[in-house]
């Protein structure tokens, strides 16, 4: 499936299940001093989760453009991006774990046709409700791995809504760089996280304490570029149709071709990711400067220029 088909299939699937589609918000979130950038699909829904605003519907779905500079130094490998599209379905105090897990499984295994035995699940330590929901779908015990807060807990910022989560990974099988590595081992080629289901139940305060949100919510995020790559038979996001035109353009500009030399490939990937991110950041009103958002943009631009010069 091409990325355009995946976007449509995702939205259709959740609209059929009673979700209202809402558009992506800009990369600069309005009125949220806790965030520099829109870094997840749930950002525009935070006031609904905290009870500060009433949602237009209790089931929502979106494809949100996101920017994250947290992995900046990782970008250049085959799986990290600064700019990406996150497909998501959300429940504001309505459905919870069982439905979110069941639909994610149905979408991946039936709608887009991933082999169930290739999927691996992580859950938060003692989350038996999530565990039992996966088991009911036929996921075997050996395909469910438990992690602590470092992996299976999602925070929307230093303060704000948070909760335990369950992640779905695609398993490419043993790879030369890592035979029996674990899903949470970042930087290896075997497992690629494709979807995160967050059970958004708590609010983290400035002093680190947590209190219950007014209701139990669902926040999910599926990476469009990652699912596209998996469905197109590659673990390299830059080999998917999402990046094909950009890679071709960089090849023409540099006179280098992708897929022959690891150092060149790395530089091509940096330029592809960063130029895409910069384009969307500038379009959403960010300009280079010495602090805040503008400084992040400047760092991304400098990094793109550095690697771009390296390939001529
Ligand atoms: N907020 C979660 C994430 O960004 C799921 O959407 O991973």
């Amino acid at each position: 499936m091409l990325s355009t088909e995946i976007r449509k299939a995702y939205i259709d699937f959740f609209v059929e299940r009673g979700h209202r589609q809402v558009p992506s918000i800009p990369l600069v979130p309005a009125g949220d001093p806790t965030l520099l950038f829109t870094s997840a699909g749930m950002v525009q829904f935070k006031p609904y989760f905290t009870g500060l605003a009433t949602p237009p519907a209790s089931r929502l779905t979106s494809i949100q453009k996101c920017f994250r500079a947290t992995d900046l130094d990782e970008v250049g490998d085959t799986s990290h991006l600064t700019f990406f599209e996150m497909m998501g379905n959300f429940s504001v105090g309505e459905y919870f774990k069982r439905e979110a897990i069941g639909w994610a499984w149905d979408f991946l295994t039936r709608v887009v046709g991933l082999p169930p035995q290739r999927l691996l699940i992580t859950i938060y330590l003692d989350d038996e409700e999530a565990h039992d929901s996966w088991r009911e779908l036929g996921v075997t015990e050996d395909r469910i791995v438990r992690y602590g807060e470092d992996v299976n807990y999602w925070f929307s910022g230093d303060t704000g809504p948070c909760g335990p989560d369950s992640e779905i990974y695609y398993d490419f099988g043993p790879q030369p760089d890592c035979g029996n590595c674990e899903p949470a081992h970042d930087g290896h080629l075997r497992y690629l996280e494709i979807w995160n289901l967050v059970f958004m139940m708590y609010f983290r305060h400035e002093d680190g304490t947590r209190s219950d949100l007014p209701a139990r919510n669902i926040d999910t995020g599926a990476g469009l570029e990652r699912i596209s790559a998996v469905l197109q038979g590659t673990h390299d996001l830059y080999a998917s149709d999402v990046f094909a035109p950009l890679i071709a353009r960089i090849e023409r500009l540099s006179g280098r071709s992708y897929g022959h030399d690891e150092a060149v490939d790395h530089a091509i990937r940096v330029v592809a990711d960063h130029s895409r991110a910069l384009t969307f950041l500038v379009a959403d009103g960010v300009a280079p400067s010495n602090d805040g958002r503008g400084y992040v943009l400047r760092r991304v631009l400098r990094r793109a220029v550095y690697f771009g010069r390296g390939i001529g």
Side-chain angles (χ1 to χ4, degrees):
M1 282 175 93
L2 296 174
S3 51
T4 45
E5 298 167 316
I6 298 165
R7 280 196 199 90
K8 183 172 181 325
Y10 190 93
I11 293 295
D12 286 351
F13 182 86
F14 285 102
V15 166
E16 276 164 23
R17 283 153 188 79
H19 293 66
R20 178 177 307 193
Q21 185 184 1
V22 297
S24 178
I25 58 165
L27 289 174
V28 177
D32 190 339
T34 67
L35 293 175
L36 276 184
F37 298 104
T38 302
S39 52
M42 61 78 70
V43 167
Q44 65 170 312
F45 306 130
K46 273 165 82 173
Y48 307 150
F49 293 149
T50 54
L52 287 174
T54 308
S58 53
R59 297 180 179 195
L60 299 157
T61 184
S62 67
I63 300 179
Q64 176 65 53
K65 55 181 163 177
C66 298
F67 177 82
R68 288 183 186 176
T70 34
D71 293 332
L72 188 58
D73 293 328
E74 247 87 55
V75 173
D77 70 5
T78 55
S79 64
H80 287 89
L81 301 171
T82 57
F83 174 86
F84 58 96
E85 288 178 72
M86 187 182 280
M87 305 184 289
N89 56 286
F90 306 85
S91 154
V92 185
E94 211 219 23
Y95 66 81
F96 203 48
K97 295 183 190 180
R98 266 200 165 66
E99 293 86 342
I101 288 172
W103 285 334
W105 187 254
D106 194 31
F107 181 80
L108 290 177
T109 59
R110 193 181 54 79
V111 179
V112 302
L114 290 178
Q117 65 276 15
R118 284 278 178 193
L119 299 177
L120 189 127
I121 307 300
T122 66
I123 58 171
Y124 182 64
L125 294 175
D126 56 355
D127 189 346
E128 300 314 327
E129 194 182 346
H131 170 267
D132 296 349
S133 301
W134 288 116
R135 293 286 285 128
E136 279 164 23
L137 293 165
V139 180
T140 50
E141 207 58 55
D142 60 312
R143 304 301 283 173
I144 303 176
V145 187
R146 294 174 192 256
Y147 287 105
E149 241 177 50
D150 50 333
V151 175
N152 282 116
Y153 210 96
W154 201 82
F155 298 94
S156 56
D158 291 338
T159 67
C162 60
D165 66 40
S166 180
E167 300 170 321
I168 306 170
Y169 288 74
Y170 188 78
D171 180 0
F172 286 94
Q175 301 291 312
D177 73 328
C178 175
N180 292 309
C181 66
E182 292 182 42
H185 287 173
D186 215 13
H188 290 300
L189 296 178
R190 175 160 184 176
Y191 298 104
L192 187 63
E193 183 197 338
I194 53 175
W195 201 337
N196 186 14
L197 315 175
V198 184
F199 313 125
M200 204 63 99
M201 300 155 70
Y202 307 110
F203 188 97
R204 180 160 71 170
H205 302 275
E206 252 164 54
D207 64 2
T209 58
R210 288 171 219 175
S211 55
D212 288 345
L213 287 172
R216 305 193 307 173
N217 312 284
I218 288 293
D219 152 33
T220 90
L224 174 75
E225 295 81 357
R226 289 184 172 194
I227 291 183
S228 300
V230 166
L231 287 172
Q232 292 162 28
T234 174
H235 54 236
D236 180 1
L237 311 192
Y238 299 85
S240 73
D241 73 309
V242 176
F243 280 95
L246 277 170
I247 300 293
R249 177 84 173 138
I250 297 165
E251 287 179 327
R252 275 201 305 280
L253 287 169
S254 65
R256 307 295 185 101
S257 58
Y258 189 60
H260 299 289
D261 175 310
E262 181 44 33
V264 171
D265 290 353
H266 184 272
I268 290 177
R269 290 191 288 260
V270 171
V271 175
D273 169 82
H274 288 9
S275 55
R276 199 165 85 118
L278 290 162
T279 303
F280 279 89
L281 285 170
V282 170
D284 280 347
V286 185
S289 72
N290 286 333
D291 56 12
R293 297 185 177 104
Y295 183 64
V296 176
L297 181 142
R298 178 166 276 175
R299 277 180 57 213
V300 174
L301 181 52
R302 282 192 181 134
R303 199 163 177 266
V305 168
Y306 174 83
F307 282 96
R309 288 203 173 125
I311 51 170

